[in-house]
Amino acid sequence: FQYLKRYDQGYNLDTFCYEAHSVEGSPAECLQRFLLHCGITDPSWSELRNFTWFLNVQLRDCEASVFCNPDFVRDTLQGF
């Protein structure tokens, strides 16, 4: 949710890192944002769950990758 919220607001996501147990927004805002970004009109709960699970895994792997670390990469892969 935090990544999608910042993406919609036009923030640079290269420098954002999720902080465990931090809470932002309401459950209704979270659900609305997932519905907006999941790519399926009228998704089922399982489709939403799969979307959020996949997004979470991808973002966690991205944060853990040295190749996505702005301190390591500097500006050599800007926008990658």
Side-chain angles (χ1 to χ4, degrees):
F1 167 76
Q2 293 176 11
Y3 272 95
L4 294 175
K5 179 179 176 182
R6 283 166 177 76
Y7 174 79
D8 289 342
Q9 294 172 342
Y11 283 86
N12 179 2
L13 298 178
D14 292 341
T15 58
F16 177 70
C17 189
Y18 170 74
E19 185 177 322
H21 307 293
S22 61
V23 177
E24 293 181 16
S26 68
E29 184 184 3
C30 181
L31 180 59
Q32 182 180 17
R33 200 153 315 254
F34 288 153
L35 288 169
L36 178 68
H37 287 279
C38 78
I40 300 172
T41 305
D42 194 24
S44 67
W45 283 112
S46 90
E47 288 168 328
L48 277 177
R49 184 213 172 271
N50 290 337
F51 168 73
T52 57
W53 175 82
F54 177 77
L55 184 61
N56 186 51
V57 168
Q58 296 301 308
L59 292 171
R60 186 177 38 208
D61 289 350
C62 179
E63 286 184 352
S65 171
V66 68
F67 298 107
C68 296
N69 182 334
D71 296 329
F72 176 75
V73 178
R74 303 272 184 241
D75 64 352
T76 58
L77 296 175
Q78 185 67 26
F80 178 68

